[in-house]
Amino acid sequence: MPLAPSDRELVAEELGRQPTDAEEALFENLWSEHCAYRSSRPLLSAFTSESDDVVVGPGDDAAVVALDDATYLTLGVESHNHPSYVDPFDGAATGVGGIVRDTMSMGAYPIALADSLYFGDFDREHSRYLFEGVVEGISHYGNCIGVPTVTGSVAFHDGYEGNPLVNVACIGLTDADRLVTAEATTPGNKLVLVGNATGRDGLGGASFASEDLAEDAETEDRPAVQVGDPYAEKLLIEANERLVDEDLIRAARDLGAAGLGGASSELVAKGGLGARITLEQVHQREPNMNALEILLAESQERMCYEVRPEDVPAVREIADRFDLGSSVIGEVTDGNYVCTFDGETVVDAPAEFLADGAPMNNLDRAEPTPQSRNLPTPTPDLATAFETVVGHPNTASKRWVYRQYDHEVGNRTAKRPGDDAALLAVREAETGVAISAGADPNWTDAAPYDGARAVALENATNLAAVGATPLAAVDCLNGGNPEKPDVYGGFAAVVDGLADMCRSLATPVVGGNVSLYNDSAAGPVAPTPTLAVVGTSETYDAPGTALDGGGRLLFIGDPSAALGGSQYLASHGGTDAFPTLPDDPLSVVEAVATVAGQGTTTAVHDVSHGGLAATLAEMVTDSVGASVTLDGEGRPAERLFAERPGRVVVETTDPEAVRAAVGDVAPVVDLGTSDGSGELTVSIDETTLAYDANEIADLRAVIDRELS
């Protein structure tokens, strides 16, 4: 995708001459939507990114928040959407590698991953092909580098048929003494490249990610997809640890979008400095590479470090010790960002103009139209609806996915995949860290603003279900072609909705990623605001979602709500207004966390995707069942299938303790009891539904059954 004529004119005016071929290619990549956020940056000021716990906010490779005075948690998220369509295995795998290196750039050791994946309808062969390839790529890379994938989400929606979304979050640990940033500090310091040799893979990846996917993308765009080497990444992780331990790094940036040119120019630009780089000094794995290829190749497993001259030998010795390549490629200067190749100057431009000079887009937007009530007729009988919703791939078990991941490596995972949120033991701070990640395209397709608010509330409720309260969040904002007013209007609405709910939850959004032009011949994706939220708990222990038996079942929240955005309507047709969310969501989340922490609470599960029907089905086991009565207002389908988040089902041996903890924050409704039957019985008006655990397991095993 060539540099736009208007951009070329700006560049020529700044440089006082026409750009060289290398400069033009570098500006094209760094000023792309993928790197410069030209359409989204004007919207991102809606987010609140500050709190007393935030150490490093938006703008660095990853954000940093304090768990206590001595322990810092890093968090970041990135997308690898276009590459995962072209080559699902390598596209997804290198997405994992990239976000792990972002974590390393902050002087942190990666401790956990979360993947949020979105594909076309499950019954389509191509969707399954992409699904299988992406999961295999994530599991291969994550397992090989020894970083557990502990939570995530999977959604199927026809809007992703021509453009899947692969969003991966990573959290890491560091402290004040080890903290590194991507801001160059001192002229005269050396720039050292450590890691794999540079090849020609991934050329133009940033600009490729900034345009719609063509119908022939799977063949024509394959050279833009990087190829990962997880074993080299593992060596790089450990080498980075040694470099940080020995205080040999002044600043760091991983080589991702726009390769060496992107990483090195952004590193010095953040410090208000320049650089002089000799491109032929870059260690290479392919012969006869030219300046542009060396500058822009997105070969993986590479880091760019600012190093004091006297520390260069020690850095290179550590690289050699871990069998990694290294090369001194230049130095930090007070002047422009300058690159030479075989004695010829191929780039000479102000670093800040390269990194931050792209003009923002002022795009037209059309406000989304709210959905009105148009429920399916005839009304599906409750048994048919129950089986359809509980057995849909969106609400069914995702065990086929997470059983492929090593989710216990590192000996921190206290709550494994399958519960509402993962819970990690951070013994350094004597605290539990919970993480939840995901979004629901049914919600944001039906109501972009309120759907995005619901995404934030649902993730926060997931944390509360394991006894944690939110600390901070990062977002991955995915949308279609922003030049289409309806697409941009929906995207702007999800930004505002996510920002407003995170503010209501007192949860700063400390970083993130934007991926636009997720558009293809099949049309644009639904606006998809993936949110990864971390929270803290005083303990590493928490109730699970499975029933324990012999307790009362209580519903915290209003059992009845509108059906807008529900799987019930997605499966049976029709529309409805989106559910009204709580007036005081933070108090709801805090109350649920308190209840989850009570010693008399034996199970907690949020009510969201698939409504109460899916929640109850997921809580029943072979040996423990439940008898539930759903009285109250609203249609039976609303009570059973509405997906208003911020609600949970609690199993407890002390119902009054639950009511006392919740107070007047939300209704607390008695649903019935758990028992030793291994059967779920739900009585609603004149209808009784009864399923044993094996029947429910068979309904929920659709992904396992179809792909195993």
Side-chain angles (χ1 to χ4, degrees):
M1 189 169 69
L3 190 64
S6 58
D7 288 346
R8 198 176 198 281
E9 187 176 323
L10 283 175
V11 170
E13 182 179 344
E14 175 70 23
L15 301 182
R17 56 176 171 78
Q18 293 301 313
T20 66
D21 290 345
E23 287 170 335
E24 182 158 353
L26 187 57
F27 274 104
E28 173 207 331
N29 278 266
L30 289 178
W31 285 18
S32 66
E33 185 67 50
H34 186 72
C35 291
Y37 293 1
R38 298 176 66 161
S39 301
S40 60
R41 187 174 294 182
L43 306 175
L44 301 182
S45 60
F47 290 106
T48 298
S49 57
E50 297 178 349
S51 79
D52 292 342
D53 299 311
V54 177
V55 179
V56 177
D60 223 307
D61 275 358
V64 183
V65 293
L67 296 178
D68 59 23
D69 292 340
T71 311
Y72 291 170
L73 187 77
T74 66
L75 56 159
V77 65
E78 83 165 25
S79 61
H80 242 220
N81 302 335
H82 283 32
S84 296
Y85 177 81
V86 174
D87 181 346
F89 179 90
D90 281 314
T94 51
V96 172
I99 195 60
V100 166
R101 290 192 304 278
D102 284 343
T103 301
M104 294 158 52
S105 295
M106 309 305 295
Y109 196 87
I111 64 168
L113 295 162
D115 60 343
S116 299
L117 313 176
Y118 309 87
F119 303 95
D121 286 338
F122 182 72
D123 59 1
R124 296 184 179 180
E125 183 178 351
H126 192 249
S127 298
R128 296 188 191 187
Y129 156 75
L130 294 172
F131 181 32
E132 290 180 289
V134 164
V135 171
E136 184 183 3
I138 291 171
S139 65
H140 173 70
Y141 205 100
N143 294 352
C144 287
I145 64 175
V147 180
T149 304
V150 296
T151 191
S153 64
V154 180
F156 300 94
H157 185 279
D158 58 9
Y160 304 117
E161 176 61 24
N163 198 133
L165 303 181
V166 176
N167 299 169
V168 183
C170 183
I171 59 175
L173 286 179
T174 188
D175 57 44
D177 293 333
R178 294 168 52 85
L179 181 62
V180 178
T181 69
E183 184 175 321
T185 62
T186 309
N189 281 348
K190 299 300 182 181
L191 294 175
V192 182
L193 193 62
V194 175
N196 271 347
T198 298
R200 292 184 171 91
D201 51 318
L203 276 169
S207 58
F208 160 61
S210 302
E211 57 188 358
D212 294 351
L213 278 172
E215 290 188 73
D216 59 359
E218 288 176 288
T219 53
E220 293 303 309
D221 290 321
R222 191 164 292 272
V225 178
Q226 311 91 332
V227 178
D229 178 356
Y231 302 106
E233 180 98 346
K234 177 60 175 174
L235 294 172
L236 191 57
I237 291 170
E238 301 305 327
N240 192 75
E241 276 292 285
R242 301 292 82 73
L243 294 171
V244 173
D245 282 343
E246 298 182 23
D247 193 28
L248 297 174
I249 301 171
R250 308 276 63 81
R253 192 129 203 165
D254 93 291
L255 274 70
L260 173 62
S264 57
S265 64
E266 291 168 352
L267 183 79
V268 296
K270 280 183 69 69
L273 298 168
R276 186 169 186 86
I277 294 174
T278 306
L279 292 173
E280 65 268 23
Q281 291 181 359
V282 171
H283 54 291
Q284 303 162 41
R285 72 167 185 263
E286 296 187 40
N288 304 317
M289 291 186 69
N290 61 37
L292 190 150
E293 291 169 335
I294 296 168
L295 197 60
L296 292 176
E298 295 183 8
S299 303
Q300 296 293 284
E301 295 86 38
R302 300 181 298 162
M303 298 286 289
C304 182
Y305 297 119
E306 179 195 8
V307 178
R308 290 174 299 213
E310 62 270 25
D311 291 334
V312 168
V315 171
R316 301 200 71 179
E317 187 278 326
I318 288 173
D320 289 343
R321 191 190 314 167
F322 285 92
D323 200 25
L324 295 167
S326 67
S327 48
V328 182
I329 61 171
E331 66 179 23
V332 180
T333 69
D334 277 322
N336 276 356
Y337 178 79
V338 178
C339 297
T340 64
F341 183 69
D342 289 341
E344 177 186 354
T345 298
V346 294
V347 176
D348 186 352
E352 290 184 80
F353 185 65
L354 267 168
D356 298 313
M360 297 297 103
N361 294 332
N362 182 17
L363 301 175
D364 294 332
R365 68 176 86 165
E367 296 299 321
T369 302
Q371 292 190 349
S372 57
R373 168 158 286 199
N374 182 21
L375 299 181
T377 52
T379 302
D381 68 84
L382 288 181
T384 299
F386 180 93
E387 292 167 18
T388 299
V389 170
V390 171
H392 192 279
N394 278 340
T395 54
S397 170
K398 304 305 186 297
R399 182 177 174 274
W400 180 87
V401 178
Y402 60 75
R403 74 180 182 188
Q404 300 183 52
Y405 301 153
D406 186 341
H407 42 259
E408 293 186 324
V409 62
N411 197 31
R412 292 185 183 274
T413 309
K415 277 293 174 187
R416 297 178 288 182
D419 283 331
D420 285 336
L423 185 63
L424 305 173
V426 179
R427 300 174 186 87
E428 295 86 343
E430 298 183 348
T431 190
V433 169
I435 178 171
S436 173
D440 190 323
N442 285 337
W443 296 355
T444 48
D445 196 18
Y449 176 79
D450 283 324
R453 293 176 67 230
V455 165
L457 179 56
E458 192 232 346
N459 278 288
T461 307
N462 286 341
L463 300 186
V466 297
T469 52
L471 176 67
V474 289
D475 57 21
C476 194
L477 304 171
N478 306 270
N481 186 333
E483 297 164 45
K484 300 176 180 178
D486 60 329
V487 169
Y488 194 55
F491 181 79
V494 300
V495 170
D496 287 343
L498 204 65
D500 286 350
M501 180 55 77
C502 286
R503 192 175 300 109
S504 296
L505 293 166
T507 303
V509 179
V510 292
N513 173 265
V514 177
S515 175
L516 295 176
Y517 292 94
N518 293 292
D519 221 316
S520 68
V525 301
T528 309
T530 297
L531 194 70
V533 188
V534 295
T536 55
S537 169
E538 294 180 357
T539 177
Y540 314 146
D541 193 22
T545 57
L547 295 174
D548 187 62
R552 297 297 303 180
L553 299 184
L554 302 180
F555 191 115
I556 299 178
D558 188 342
S560 184
L563 288 165
S566 66
Q567 187 58 52
Y568 172 83
L569 291 184
S571 295
H572 295 288
T575 59
D576 198 3
F578 198 78
T580 301
L581 301 181
D583 293 331
D584 187 358
L586 179 57
S587 293
V588 172
V589 168
E590 291 174 340
V592 171
T594 299
V595 169
Q598 293 175 337
T600 51
T601 296
T602 49
V604 182
H605 196 2
D606 89 304
V607 179
S608 53
H609 313 292
L612 182 59
T615 296
L616 293 172
E618 291 164 2
M619 297 181 81
V620 170
T621 70
D622 289 341
S623 58
V624 183
S627 179
V628 170
T629 300
L630 285 180
D631 294 326
E633 300 178 356
R635 299 167 186 249
E638 293 171 339
R639 282 175 266 161
L640 205 52
F641 303 114
E643 298 188 8
R644 171 183 172 176
R647 306 180 299 166
V648 297
V649 172
V650 175
E651 181 191 39
T652 180
T653 57
D654 188 351
E656 291 312 308
V658 173
R659 296 181 191 279
V662 175
D664 59 2
V665 167
V668 178
V669 179
D670 193 308
L671 291 178
T673 59
S674 57
D675 53 47
S677 67
E679 180 177 277
L680 173 64
T681 301
V682 180
S683 298
I684 180 166
D685 294 347
E686 304 301 318
T687 302
T688 298
L689 305 176
Y691 297 88
D692 66 34
N694 289 331
E695 291 174 306
I696 291 172
D698 187 59
L699 285 173
R700 300 192 66 242
V702 57
I703 295 176
D704 241 321
R705 186 167 54 247
E706 295 297 324
L707 297 183
S708 297

